[in-house]
Amino acid sequence: MMKWRTKITDLHAYVPGKTIDEVKKQYRLDSIVKLASNENPFGYSPKVDEALKNFQPAFTRYPDGHALQLRQKMAAHLGVDPTELIFTNGTDELIQIVSRSLLEPGKNTVMAAPTFSQYKHNAIIEGAEVREVPLKDGRHDLEAMLGQIDENTAVVWICSPNNPTGTYTTEQELTAFLDRVPEDVLVFIDEAYSEYVVAKDYEQALTLFRRYHHLIVSRTFSKIYGLAGLRVGYGIADRTIIQKLEPVRPPFNTNVLGQLAAQAALEDQTFIQSCRDKNRQGLERFYAFCRRNSLAFYPSQANFILIDFQCDSEEVCRFLLGRGYIVRSGEALGMPGTVRVTIGSEEQNRGVLEAIGAFLESRK
């Protein structure tokens, strides 16, 4: 028998939402709308197509392991030093790198519950103790999280906006928390959805990492930038943290096309603003529908909404699948009875809300 690490024997692989082809085949449908994985329904900037069309293939060579051109462009865009950045194969890899660098048996890590599953998943692999603090009204309970920190805590995770609730941590809450977290504990703030935020009291952690040297901020090109298939994420932190993480990063982890597309996408902030505005309009439509139908929901600062149907989440998902809409069951997200729906285009939103309305009628 193989000598598997005992910590992984009970783990399960991440289960992504159903693919469009899967649903087409299973339900014999010609048209499918996927609103399960928080991808950008408006795609990506036309500048990306231009950049890829003019690309001279060099696939026999390794990509730039330092991502120099993207690094310089990103540093200028954010107003940081290039040495304060690390580039990864999506945010998932940065979570993995941080976990591998800091977590081990005898150490613990603190996080909300439910939140993005990969924090806990990687901590378990590394053999660390996982301390989960239940959300309070769908939001991080930072005071309770502080109470879980001790001399063996290595990493604290904050997802803002949080997945799956879409709630966020305010500027005042975040700074008060960081003021009290010991400086030998790394605070990882996941801002995968930060570009969608419109709340006035939301403080992007980017403005805080020089004040708090035990802070790392993660972001991604997979959400509002629309490049989920090319897998480019990045972290921002004090250069001393970056220097410690770099040896753990695989040497050629971001590919040639991903680096090129990310640079082009970064240049088109008009597109990003347009996506943010359309997303907010879509959210307001969902809010109005939920209020009319007495459905509880969490006000969201992300590109999805979590709706409480107070019934079997899988039943809702099956009903919507049969009408050509793929959504995410709250059962898999640690929120039974709820369904998470990605905000789509105007047409997609209208269609899925009609399908949800039909589900509600069917239960009367």
Side-chain angles (χ1 to χ4, degrees):
M1 182 179 290
M2 295 287 184
K3 300 177 181 66
W4 298 110
R5 291 176 60 183
T6 55
K7 291 294 182 182
I8 73 164
T9 54
D10 294 326
L11 281 179
H12 300 284
Y14 178 79
V15 181
K18 287 181 178 288
T19 67
I20 289 175
D21 288 340
E22 278 182 287
V23 177
K24 277 185 177 180
K25 186 176 180 180
Q26 182 178 354
Y27 289 86
R28 298 179 181 177
L29 296 169
D30 296 323
S31 177
I32 299 294
V33 176
K34 186 181 180 187
L35 299 172
S37 300
N38 306 335
E39 296 146 333
N40 189 341
F42 308 108
Y44 49 77
S45 166
K47 288 182 180 291
V48 173
D49 277 330
E50 292 174 24
L52 295 179
K53 185 165 57 176
N54 296 323
F55 173 65
Q56 297 297 318
F59 298 138
T60 58
R61 298 177 183 173
Y62 288 108
D64 175 8
H66 196 57
L68 182 59
Q69 291 185 335
L70 175 58
R71 180 180 298 274
Q72 291 173 337
K73 202 160 268 190
M74 178 61 74
H77 174 70
L78 297 175
V80 303
D81 192 271
T83 61
E84 296 169 331
L85 295 168
I86 183 171
F87 290 91
T88 54
N89 191 264
T91 301
D92 302 274
E93 188 180 49
L94 182 57
I95 295 167
Q96 185 180 59
I97 289 170
V98 167
S99 299
R100 192 174 183 185
S101 301
L102 287 162
L103 299 179
E104 60 187 348
K107 291 183 180 177
N108 68 68
T109 182
V110 178
M111 65 195 69
T115 190
F116 186 47
S117 63
Q118 293 304 292
Y119 313 145
K120 180 178 181 178
H121 186 88
N122 281 280
I124 291 172
I125 290 173
E126 301 305 330
E129 177 194 351
V130 176
R131 297 183 176 180
E132 295 181 284
V133 177
L135 295 175
K136 190 175 182 179
D137 299 323
R139 304 177 68 245
H140 282 59
D141 187 347
L142 296 183
E143 193 64 31
M145 290 175 70
L146 275 169
Q148 290 295 315
I149 297 172
D150 62 21
E151 67 276 6
N152 295 317
T153 304
V155 186
V156 176
W157 310 87
I158 297 176
C159 189
S160 181
N162 185 48
N163 181 9
T165 56
T167 55
Y168 69 103
T169 301
T170 69
E171 174 183 1
Q172 184 177 0
E173 291 167 338
L174 185 57
T175 53
F177 178 77
L178 290 169
D179 282 339
R180 297 164 66 190
V181 174
E183 293 187 1
D184 62 349
V185 176
L186 182 70
V187 179
F188 186 111
I189 302 185
D190 186 341
E191 292 190 341
Y193 300 95
S194 63
E195 291 91 352
Y196 283 108
V197 177
V198 297
K200 296 274 194 276
D201 58 349
Y202 175 78
E203 177 75 5
Q204 294 193 6
L206 172 64
T207 62
L208 301 174
F209 81 96
R210 289 202 180 92
R211 178 176 164 189
Y212 300 98
H213 298 296
H214 56 320
L215 171 66
I216 185 168
V217 185
S218 74
R219 292 189 180 174
T220 181
F221 281 90
S222 295
K223 302 304 178 186
I224 203 168
Y225 284 97
L227 301 178
L230 288 173
R231 313 306 298 128
V232 180
Y234 59 102
I236 313 146
D238 185 89
R239 68 188 66 189
T240 58
I241 291 177
I242 300 296
Q243 287 169 359
K244 291 292 186 183
L245 296 177
E246 278 289 355
V248 186
R249 178 183 63 81
F252 302 107
N253 59 331
T254 55
N255 65 71
V256 173
L257 294 181
Q259 291 182 25
L260 183 66
Q263 291 176 64
L266 200 58
E267 292 176 357
D268 195 351
Q269 292 302 308
T270 300
F271 174 79
I272 299 305
Q273 181 63 54
S274 172
C275 291
R276 184 185 302 114
D277 292 343
K278 291 174 183 175
N279 180 72
R280 185 51 43 183
Q281 292 165 11
L283 275 168
E284 292 296 338
R285 182 169 191 162
F286 273 85
Y287 294 169
F289 175 89
C290 289
R291 290 177 182 126
R292 283 197 307 271
N293 290 280
S294 301
L295 290 173
F297 65 93
Y298 290 107
S300 175
Q301 290 294 323
N303 68 333
F304 57 83
I305 183 171
L306 189 73
I307 304 172
D308 188 356
F309 286 86
Q310 296 189 337
C311 68
D312 183 2
S313 302
E314 297 296 329
E315 182 185 353
V316 183
C317 291
R318 284 193 298 270
F319 186 95
L320 296 180
L321 276 174
R323 282 153 180 75
Y325 293 93
I326 309 173
V327 296
R328 190 69 160 161
S329 168
E331 197 72 40
L333 301 171
M335 299 284 279
T338 67
V339 170
R340 192 189 68 192
V341 185
T342 302
I343 306 304
S345 66
E346 184 177 355
E347 180 182 358
Q348 291 169 343
N349 295 337
R350 181 171 60 250
V352 74
L353 287 174
E354 287 175 359
I356 292 173
F359 171 78
L360 297 175
E361 283 293 322
S362 72
R363 290 181 59 82
K364 288 183 177 178

